[in-house]
Each structure stands twice: as structure tokens, then as C-alpha cells.
């Protein structure tokens, strides 16, 4: 990002940068719809109560209130901007359960806000693209596999480097820690989550200091967390640690299924990584994280997991599984590293030039004819010298300029090559690669 | 809207309603891009100072602040959610002037927030779709005509009833009021703006009480404001009032040009309406308002105007003209009146059924083959009885169910007609009208 945002953490793109973001959003939408996900949007605000029930990130939440508070109504007290799309989606499902067909598949692409300290890959306003499937009472495990494969397909269609989807399972970890006598599994996971950042020694020290773990427990916990395999061989490696627990077995089998199917359908993209913890409390089974290979420092570009108890309405529960792609994080990196380029900065393919000021209305007729065939067209606003009108097109990146003589004959000029030939507004089209701005992987 | 929003003024759509909103947004994007407008987005927050400089709507603004204020940094003090897209756009132009080619044409489709009392057609969170052209120093008047015609084309492509774009000109009004001795033209415009709501008598009384207007001034002001013509005959009617002023002449000629071109290119869509005032102070010439015929009570669905001094950087000014379509207002009315319907609620065209649980991976192969040809496909998650799998598709609105025998032969069933025939995953396609959900005007 060459330019600095005028408000730190709130990036804004130039038109040509926005074209790359739009391309990313279009690819995601298309992939999600091809997989049968319906679009929904939720309001930007939730009640503070709803937002904070599910996380420990109160310091990061932006509260919203009327500037002139004397008129504030009770219904508006305690509103805040959502910091993700999972919590709002859970509320939406509960509220609209009577109108939805379950299992309900939805995608949701919206802005989120977190008051974190801005840095590359971490903005205060950012776009997330989520897919989730939610069941009524039960949700077959196979959706855990399907959703991983869907995001892999979506990410493969983007102008980004290779990536690795890392998968773990909370049941596996919780069963293992319980079996070796570390009862506060949430606390263990929080320490293990720091493995990549602070290394095994410091994590071991944390486990000893905070949880009173002995040497054996620390050794086993770290041995588990360092298992990472591109295939199902992690199962034997866990077994070799000699720990047994029913929940561990369940988690191992679930993770085995994900990895077995993924290695078949998306070879090289998915690994079992037993260090993956994910901070959020609501995950109960599979957890996912994704890194761009060679850009691990950027953080996860796509995360999520299975949550069996996030949404409920009385005794009725709505278990779900989902993943969230960090669109702004990805687009920032695409732009800063030049992973992609765009053939021009404007949608316009043709500028209709004016021979004189009275020609404007006839020039609009030409433009209308071209637009009817899907060719984006502008009309010059004033009849400057042709040279100036051509320079105007050139400066905006418009590839073709259209001329109409007083006798009504038409010519079109490719201002890149200088080639000019006669053309009919009712039938002429630019070459396919010039109809729209084209995104190319650099 | 059958359902009540859980937070008053913050509407949320069901998936089938969202399909109609997406259709509206897709049509607008396509039309704007065909006319050469580039997409941009601006951050949701502006400084309170920037927001309030341009309007009198401080009571309606939502302030944003970190929930845990002890860490709030200076840069975050005094932030608020934008209430329109014009003021943020003006800031964006000034900040990025060095990176933009002028005249700069942009469209911007985003949420806005106003803390107004909610009612149909007036939400607290709503989507606006704006187009503007901004020049560097000067902006030819012809853009005032072009932008009106662009939104007419966009609105004509939407599933809504007939509409009328009403146009007036601030110069015309200000010249006229000045000439008859009413110097506080902004105050006159504020009273005239109420004409449709409270009627001519009460507006007359307002002019007398608040501005000390005499009978003659009231009569002339009301006579001007009641002129409404579908053609350029308004010019003679204004002239017949016997008032002369240079600014009046200028405004008359500008409005004449808009109406003359509009009656030629979009007959019946555009009228000169000399009662249109528009509340916002920054308009300096042409002003626009649009009503749905027969739904005038809904308020304007598309408004805007020319602003010559909204954006400046030192002595450099960026005059602009633009219009803003109230997407949420329109979609609310489309939904509540049933102006449009959608052929199905989900993107999915085909459900691949499972003969047994081991068939899941092969079923994914079928789905992949169909998706590669743009056919949205889901795979059943469990091998329930075929009857149940068909009912699942029916309940979700999926028109086709795909069956694969143990010997590898494929059949596809249209569950609406019951018709079933053999099909090849590599070549079969549904009829064109079943590929995607189709929006039909009711």
C-alpha cells in the first residue's frame, strides 16, 4: 500500500485497487453460489450483550450511540458494531428459524470492525467473507469436510500464492489433555495457541507456571502440538504417545476423515496440524486456519470451525460449521506485493468523441447502441480538439475513441496501437480482452 | 415486510428477499459500469467535524467509540458513521486528488446510518447507490444532463412501477426570490420544501411569519413553486410572472437544457418541477428528486444535484454533480408490495442424492463436473431414503435431484414434473431458466 490511510486502520482503495477487490469478491460469491450457499446480510450493529457473550474481546468493540443522546430510545442503548459475522449469523438463525430450511447454507460478505492496533493484515474496518452451514438439532459431520473443500476451491480461484489449510480438532485436543491430567483444557489451548509466536520452551514454561503442569505433561502436550502431517499419518503418531480417551478417539477419527478426503480432492492444500487452537470459545470440534505459504507472518487468511452450541432457542440448538475469509487482509497483501494487476483502471472501453458541441446528443445515440451490447461507453462532455479528447481517454486508460463525421460515417481508433478503421455502432465490438478490465496474476 | 426487524429501523432480509436485493444491486452496478463509472468504497466512519460541516442533521448521527475508552487514541476521538455517501466522497476526492483522473466518475454502493424515527421507507441502516462526476476546477454542465439520464436508465431496469424524476435548479429559484425581494433564499427554500406536505396556504403563512413576506411576494413564490411541466413550457410560464434576474436566466437555461434532452431521450420520465428544493445546503444548481408513481408517500427514491463548492483543497475546488438511489427504500417497497418474485429461494439447481453413505465422494465428483459448467450443485450429507432426499430438495426449492446407480449410470429428476431421464455429468445442463434463480416482475 503506497498511500497511507487518512485514518489509521481504515483502508480505502483507489479505483484500480478496488477493481482487484471486486474481482476477489466476485470470485468468492460465484464459488459460494455454485456450492449452493445463499447470500444474507445482517445489520452492522448488535447489542453489546449479544457480542460479549461469545468472546473476550470487549476492548476491541466499537460502541455506537446517537450523537445527541437526549433522544436516545431504550432500544438503541448498548449497541455496538459487529466484530465478526458468526455471532450475528447465530442471532439471525435463531430469530428467523421459522422461515429457514435446515440445514441452512449461507454466505455473508460484509464489513466488520475491531478497535485493534492497526498493522499490515490487521485493519480496524475490514471485509470478511463467511460460509456456514447450520442444522436444526443435528448437523452431519460431513459438512466439516465439505466446507473445507469449498473454501479451498474459492481460495484457489484467487490471485494469491499457494496456501495451506491447517486443520485440528478440539475433541482430540481436549480428550488428550484431559487424559494426561490437564483439566483446564481451554487454558492449555490458549498457551498452545502461542506456539508459533513464542516457541515450545516458553509455552512449556507457561503450562508449568499457570497450570502447574509437570515435566511429563509438558512433554506430552508439546509432542502432540508439534505433530503436523500432510496425510492421515498423524493418527499413528498420536497413538504412539500412548494416551487413551474416548473424546480423543472421536476427534482423531473426525480429523482423519477430513484429511483423508482432502488429500484425495485437494492434494497438497490441507494438513493436519495439532497446534491449531483458535482463540474463540465457541468451537467444539474441527478447527481451521489458513496461511499463505511464505507469508505466514500475515496471520490466518481463512479460519473457522465447528460450533455445536453457539445458537439456541430454548432447548432447540442449531449446531454449525463455517469458515471466514479475511478479504481485506488478502487484498492488502495482493496490492502491497503486486500479486495481481488490472488491464485498465476504468470500466469504460470506448470514449465517443465530439466533432462539435451540437454532436453530443447523436454521440449519446452511439453510446446507447454500444452499451446495449455490453460495451461500457462514455461520451466526451465538450468538443475540444480531437488530440485533447484522445489524451483524455489515454489519461483515464480508455482503449478506444469513437469518431463520427458530419456525414454520419463512424470510425473507431485503438489509441494504444493508433489503428483506426470504420465501424458500425450497431455491430462493432472490441476484442474480448478489452470489453472489461481484466485481472492478471503477476 | 411480514416480519418485524428485531431492532427497529435495521431491516434484515430472508434469503429469497436478499435475492431480490442482489438483483437490484447487480442491475445498478451493471448500468453504472456500462456508463463508465468506477466503483469505490469509503470507510464507514468520518470525523464528526467533517460530517457536521455540511448539514443540519447532527441529531441523526451515530457516534462511534471504543467500548473500553481508557485505550482510545486521539485519532479515534470524534468518529461517527456516515449518513450519506456524498460527504465521504468529497473527502475521498480531496485526499486522493493526485491519484485520480478528472473528471472523475464513480459509483458507490454502501450502507449508511441515520438515527431517524423508523417508518416504512425510512430505516436507520440503509443502502444507498450513488453516482457522481467531479471535475478539477470546472465541470461542464452537460454532466447534469448525463447523470439524470443514467439514473433513469438504471431505474427503468429495476422491478418497480413507473417513476418520475423531478428536476429544478437552485439558481432559478435563488434568482427569482432575490428579484422579488426575499433575500434569505435558503429560508424560502426550506419553506417551499414543505409544499407537498403542508400545502400552499401553510407555506404562505410560514413565508409571512418567518421572513416577513408581503402578499405579493407570497403569491409570486407560490406561483413559481406550483409550476410543473413535462416539457420546456415552464420557461414561458416563469417569464409570464414578470420577474427578471441574471441568476434566474442562468437557471432557466440550465433547466431547459436538462428537460429538452430528457424529453427526447427518456420521454415521460422527467419533469421540470419548480417546487423541488432539497434540504441540503451544498447544492448550487440542478436538483433532482424521484418518486414512484402512485407511491409518492414513500418519499424520494433517488435524489441529488449539482454542488460547486462541496470539495476543495486550498484554492483548488472540485465541483460535482450526482444522484443517490435509496436501495433499501426501494427494496422494502418491492417486497411489501410484491412488485417482483423469485423463481426459487436458493442458488442450487441440483441436489446430488446418495444411494449409500460410501457414495459421498463419488457424488462430489458429479457435483464438481456440474459446477465446472456453472450449475450450482449440493451433495446430500447422508444417505437417507430417496423419498426423504427428494423432500429435502423440495423443501429448499432445488428443482433437480441427481441419482447415480451402483453401476455408475446417472439419472436426473425434475422434481416439479416428476420427469426423470439418464444424464451425463460432463454434458447435462438444466433449461436456461433453471440455471439460476430468476427475478420476475409481478
Amino acid at each position: 500500500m503506497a498511500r497511507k490511510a487518512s485514518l489509521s486502520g481504515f483502508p480505502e482503495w483507489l479505483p484500480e485497487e478496488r477493481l482487484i477487490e471486486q474481482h476477489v469478491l466476485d470470485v468468492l460469491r460465484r464459488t459460494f453460489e455454485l456450492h449452493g450457499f445463499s447470500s444474507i446480510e445482517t445489520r452492522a450493529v448488535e447489542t453489546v450483550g449479544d457480542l460479549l457473550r461469545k468472546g473476550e474481546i470487549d476492548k476491541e468493540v466499537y460502541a455506537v450511540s446517537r450523537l445527541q443522546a437526549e433522544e436516545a430510545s431504550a432500544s438503541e442503548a448498548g449497541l455496538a458494531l459487529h466484530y465478526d459475522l458468526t455471532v450475528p449469523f447465530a442471532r439471525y438463525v435463531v430469530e428467523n428459524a421459522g422461515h429457514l430450511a435446515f440445514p441452512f447454507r449461507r454466505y455473508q460478505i460484509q464489513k466488520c470492525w475491531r478497535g485493534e492496533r492497526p498493522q499490515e493484515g490487521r485493519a480496524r474496518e475490514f471485509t470478511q467473507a463467511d460460509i456456514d452451514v447450520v442444522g436444526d438439532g443435528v448437523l452431519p459431520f460431513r459438512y466439516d469436510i465439505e466446507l473445507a473443500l469449498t473454501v479451498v476451491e474459492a481460495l484457489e480461484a484467487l490471485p494469491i500464492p499457494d496456501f495451506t489449510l491447517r486443520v485440528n480438532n478440539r475433541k482430540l485436543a481436549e480428550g488428550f489433555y484431559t487424559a494426561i491430567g490437564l483439566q483446564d483444557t481451554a487454558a492449555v489451548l490458549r498457551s498452545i495457541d502461542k506456539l508459533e509466536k513464542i516457541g515450545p520452551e516458553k509455552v512449556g514454561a507457561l503450562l508449568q507456571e499457570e497450570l502447574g503442569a509437570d515435566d511429563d505433561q509438558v512433554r506430552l502436550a508439546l509432542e502432540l502440538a508439534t505433530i503436523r502431517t500432510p496425510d492421515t499419518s498423524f493418527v499413528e503418531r498420536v497413538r504412539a504417545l500412548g494416551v487413551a480417551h474416548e473424546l480423543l478417539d472421536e476427534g482423531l477419527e473426525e480429523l482423519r476423515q477430513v484429511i483423508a478426503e482432502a488429500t484425495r480432492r485437494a492434494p497438497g492444500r490441507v494438513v493436519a496440524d495439532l497446534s491449531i487452537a483458535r482463540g474463540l470459545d465457541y468451537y467444539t470440534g474441527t478447527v481451521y486456519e489458513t496461511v499463505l505459504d511464505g507469508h505466514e507472518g500475515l496471520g490466518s487468511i481463512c479460519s473457522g470451525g465447528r460450533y455445536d452450541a453457539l445458537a439456541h432457542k430454548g432447548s432447540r440448538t442449531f449446531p454449525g460449521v463455517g469458515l471466514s475469509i479475511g478479504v481485506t487482509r488478502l487484498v492488502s497483501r495482493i496490492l502491497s506485493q503486486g500479486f495481481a494487476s488490472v488491464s485498465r483502471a476504468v470500466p469504460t472501453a470506448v470514449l465517443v468523441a465530439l466533432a462539435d458541441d451540437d454532436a453530443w446528443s447523436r454521440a449519446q445515440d452511439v453510446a446507447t447502441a454500444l452499451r446495449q451490447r455490453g460495451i461500457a461507453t462514455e461520451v466526451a462532455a465538450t468538443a475540444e480538439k480531437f488530440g485533447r479528447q484522445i489524451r483524455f481517454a489515454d489519461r483515464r486508460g480508455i482503449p478506444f475513441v469513437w469518431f463520427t463525421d458530419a456525414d454520419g460515417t463512424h470510425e473507431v481508433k485503438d489509441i494504444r496501437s493508433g489503428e483506426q478503421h470504420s465501424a458500425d455502432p450497431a455491430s462493432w465490438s472490441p476484442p474480448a480482452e478489452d470489453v472489461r478490465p481484466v485481472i492478471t496474476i503477476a
Side-chain angles (χ1 to χ4, degrees), chain A residues 283-294:
Chain A
Y283 294 126
T284 51
T286 309
V287 284
Y288 315 92
E289 247 180 50
T290 314
V291 290
L292 282 189
D293 300 349

Side-chain angles (χ1 to χ4, degrees), chain A residues 47-368:
Chain A
T47 64
V48 173
D50 276 348
L51 284 182
L52 299 191
R53 200 175 309 145
K54 297 300 175 185
E56 320 133 62
I57 60 170
D58 49 333
K59 271 185 295 196
E60 302 166 6
V61 170
Y62 281 111
V64 165
S65 59
R66 294 269 289 283
L67 199 58
Q68 305 281 11
E70 78 272 15
E71 280 190 39
S73 64
S75 73
E76 278 186 306
L79 295 182
L81 297 173
H82 56 219
Y83 56 77
D84 75 1
L85 301 176
T86 308
V87 173
F89 174 56
R91 175 192 53 74
Y92 177 95
V93 166
V94 170
E95 280 179 13
N96 296 293
H99 301 275
L100 303 173
F102 292 96
F104 176 49
R105 308 157 75 83
R106 81 87 174 80
Y107 75 91
Q108 188 170 349
I109 302 179
Q110 284 185 258
K111 301 268 169 65
C112 300
W113 296 267
R114 293 187 192 188
E116 296 184 337
R117 217 159 67 87
Q119 55 192 75
E120 201 194 327
R122 191 187 286 171
R124 291 181 156 178
E125 176 176 61
F126 53 96
T127 300
Q128 294 287 110
D130 282 32
I131 54 171
D132 285 81
V133 179
V134 161
D136 184 358
V138 289
L139 184 73
F141 173 73
R142 264 182 178 141
Y143 287 111
D144 292 44
I145 308 173
E146 191 199 324
L147 265 71
L149 293 171
T150 305
V151 295
V152 165
E153 192 177 315
L155 292 172
E156 280 180 339
L158 296 180
I160 54 173
D162 283 345
F163 58 87
T164 305
L165 181 68
R166 302 167 172 177
V167 191
N168 194 5
N169 192 296
R170 277 274 171 94
K171 293 177 190 169
L172 189 167
E174 286 183 27
F176 187 92
Y177 298 135
T178 306
I180 64 172
L182 294 172
Q183 301 299 330
D184 187 352
T185 55
V188 180
L189 284 169
R190 272 198 299 278
S191 301
I192 294 294
D193 210 15
K194 297 177 180 142
L195 198 56
E196 200 156 22
K197 238 183 226 163
I198 65 175
E201 280 187 34
K202 286 188 179 163
V203 169
L206 270 180
L207 291 173
Q208 286 177 316
E209 286 159 29
E210 293 184 4
L211 298 166
D214 62 28
D215 286 356
D216 230 36
Q217 289 170 324
V218 167
R219 180 185 56 80
L220 283 166
L222 288 175
E223 279 187 356
L224 183 79
T226 46
I227 294 174
R228 185 189 290 189
T229 68
D231 51 35
T232 56
S233 63
F234 71 91
V235 179
E236 294 102 89
R237 290 189 49 191
V238 175
R239 293 282 178 231
L241 298 176
V243 174
H245 193 278
E246 201 186 332
L247 205 55
L248 168 61
D249 290 347
E250 210 179 299
L252 270 175
E253 172 54 18
E254 287 189 356
L255 185 56
R256 190 197 61 75
Q257 285 188 43
V258 173
I259 301 300
E261 192 66 27
T263 48
R264 207 180 84 78
R265 306 196 71 81
R269 292 302 195 188
V270 182
V271 301
D273 184 335
L274 275 53
S275 74
I276 300 302
R278 300 303 307 148
L280 289 166
D281 282 339
Y282 50 69
Y283 294 126
T284 51
T286 309
V287 284
Y288 315 92
E289 247 180 50
T290 314
V291 290
L292 282 189
D293 300 349
H295 301 260
E296 288 78 4
L298 183 63
S300 177
I301 55 158
C302 175
S303 311
R306 156 74 70 150
Y307 44 91
D308 277 333
L310 182 60
H312 49 87
K313 192 173 189 172
S315 61
R316 191 175 169 194
T317 61
F318 302 94
V321 58
L323 291 105
S324 177
I325 296 175
V327 174
T328 300
R329 179 171 285 190
L330 272 178
V331 170
S332 299
R333 189 49 67 113
I334 292 170
L335 295 175
S336 70
Q337 301 286 310
F339 290 149
S341 61
V342 62
S343 58
R344 62 176 187 257
V346 292
T348 319
V350 180
L351 173 75
V352 182
L354 296 184
D356 56 69
D357 262 336
D358 296 336
W360 189 82
S361 191
R362 264 169 313 165
Q364 290 289 349
D365 293 335
V366 172
T368 300

